[in-house]
Amino acid sequence: MPDSPQHPYHPIIYVRGFAATQGEIEETVADPYMGFNIGSTKSRVAWTGDVKRFYFESPLVRLMSDHKYEDVFVEGDDLVAAERHDKPVPYRSIVIYRYYDEASQDFGTGDGTPPIEHFARGLDKLILRLRDKVCANPKNGVTPADFRVYLVAHSMGGLVCRAFLQNETLGSPEARAAVDKLFTYATPHNGIDMRLVRNVPGWLSFGDVNNFNRERMAKYLGLKKSDDVSVVENFPPERIFNLIGTNPRDYTAVGGVSAWAVGDASDGLVRIENAVTHGIGAGGTDVGSPRAFVHRSHSGHYGIVNSEEGYQNLTRFLFGAMRIDGFLDVDDITLPVEVQQAMDKGQKIEASYQFEVVASIRGCQWQMTRREARENSAIFRRYADLFPGEAGTRRAADRSMSPHLFSVFLDPRKSVKTSKSVSFAFDLKVLVPDYEVDGLLFLKRHYEGGYIYRDLTLIEAFPDEDAVGGWRIKYGSQENNPGKPGRAVETRPLDGGPGQAPGLTFEIPIEQTTRPGLKGKLRIEARPWG
């Protein structure tokens, strides 16, 4: 793929989400930015849920102020749509895909909303037109072969993008090849499920909500099977980011009925389990797309698009230089003495574990990702998942079930140190598990909310041409060395796979010796990004 002289900054196309009624459509088309300009003044305090004042200007304003992007509206015209040879389109431009204009009574016919397939074809045309406009501006110094674009989408907008990228009948190869990355906010990648009817039924056509029926989705996504439509084909799943909301409480659409119908483990409209994508990665195996979990609702005052956490994940995914993934490889989990004795006697033992993790960047008030049991987003594993095999036998760990803790994207240009080091921390907790002995709950010594392991780990990476992967790594525990990672780690090369740059990996041993206890290692993988 040719490198643009403007890299990592490329034009951004924002694709908004679903509008159900004609009134919502008219409200949508009346806004030139279709919601990308909406900010927020409210945030929830993590430990109490109380409201605190936090000013976030909007993704649009911040991209303009922080990264020198410009919109394409000049003297009442949209420069991409209009023929204004006197007003060239800048490379760092933000373009709004106004696909609901056709359904508007003022701008279109008002006779109904076109299908997603139509919107996908329109996105193809918009990308090619934007390419021609950008490349016609000599100040940009970009050829059609170098032109790249970022797609940023909310909710159903992410499905429009995926239909364009995945379904080869809905777009041209040259337009798809121009897409560098796709960032999705709260997109129902595997449809919308509700308490009473499960998946949205295909016959429910009011407001085109059947767009979220999996059989319907499989057709416009170009998939042969409809049981799992979160599968990404014809585009690298690693270059799609899923931002997932975990706050249903503050989604007030339809008087809160939506949040009740979808359930607690959601953003009020999209269930957490349905907001992710996966597919065959560069190494030939199935991989999950990078993702982050934030305590924001689907939209509204506490919405996911108008959030600092969303913006920080967006800009680091688009413009960052390093991707870091964390895994917990569990070698052994010991049982309470009484439960171990019951197991030794041949009684049937069931144990389930919840892993909580919060990752944050040095010097910042917000969190990049947060997964907690009280927000219904903790990672869940059964003992049999981690150690499959026959009861009463010694079982080997299944590394494919190692909890993936986080994907964090770092940008050395944002470093606050003269060394240009980048640093982040993650707080990992393994909660006290639930045990069953012959089908009965074992509650002796159980204290709800307790944990068998907890540590806040700090990691700092220093640029070093002589080190593996070009980075020298230090780590530390907040408990032992607050605020300053002090222990050097031995890193190993990490094969990047076909077409991927090599990276580095290292391990941090952990052990909790009291029963119930945990023994294993934190496995960290770092790769060049962008």
Side-chain angles (χ1 to χ4, degrees), residues 42-74:
K42 299 177 181 180
S43 183
R44 292 284 183 190
V45 177
W47 51 93
T48 65
D50 294 339
V51 179
K52 71 173 181 178
R53 192 186 302 270
F54 187 95
Y55 292 101
F56 174 67
E57 304 92 319
S58 80
L60 179 84
V61 171
R62 290 288 294 278
L63 283 165
M64 289 177 169
S65 62
D66 295 351
H67 298 281
K68 310 307 177 189
Y69 272 82
E70 302 177 52
D71 65 21
V72 293
F73 301 131
V74 175

Side-chain angles (χ1 to χ4, degrees), residues 333-336 339 343 348-355 373 378-384 386 430-452 516:
I333 297 183
T334 57
L335 302 172
V339 178
M343 175 179 278
K348 183 180 179 181
I349 305 299
E350 296 283 352
S352 57
Y353 301 85
Q354 293 190 84
F355 303 84
I379 304 166
F380 178 83
R381 293 288 189 276
R382 297 176 303 137
Y383 184 86
L386 298 168
V430 182
L431 300 191
V432 170
D434 295 323
Y435 300 104
E436 287 187 6
V437 178
D438 282 343
L440 298 177
L441 276 175
F442 176 83
L443 296 177
K444 292 181 181 179
R445 307 186 193 179
H446 179 88
Y447 296 92
E448 189 65 26
Y451 46 85
I452 61 176

Side-chain angles (χ1 to χ4, degrees), residues 171-192:
S172 60
E174 55 265 41
R176 282 193 292 270
V179 177
D180 189 75
K181 297 168 189 161
L182 166 61
F183 185 97
T184 64
Y185 295 95
T187 291
H189 288 293
N190 198 36
I192 289 180

Side-chain angles (χ1 to χ4, degrees), residues 102 105 109 118 276 287 317 390 402 438 440 452 491 511:
E102 293 182 62
Q105 292 175 340
T109 63
H118 181 80
V276 298
V287 297
F317 175 70
E390 295 294 328
S402 290
D438 282 343
L440 298 177
I452 61 176
T491 59
E511 185 170 8

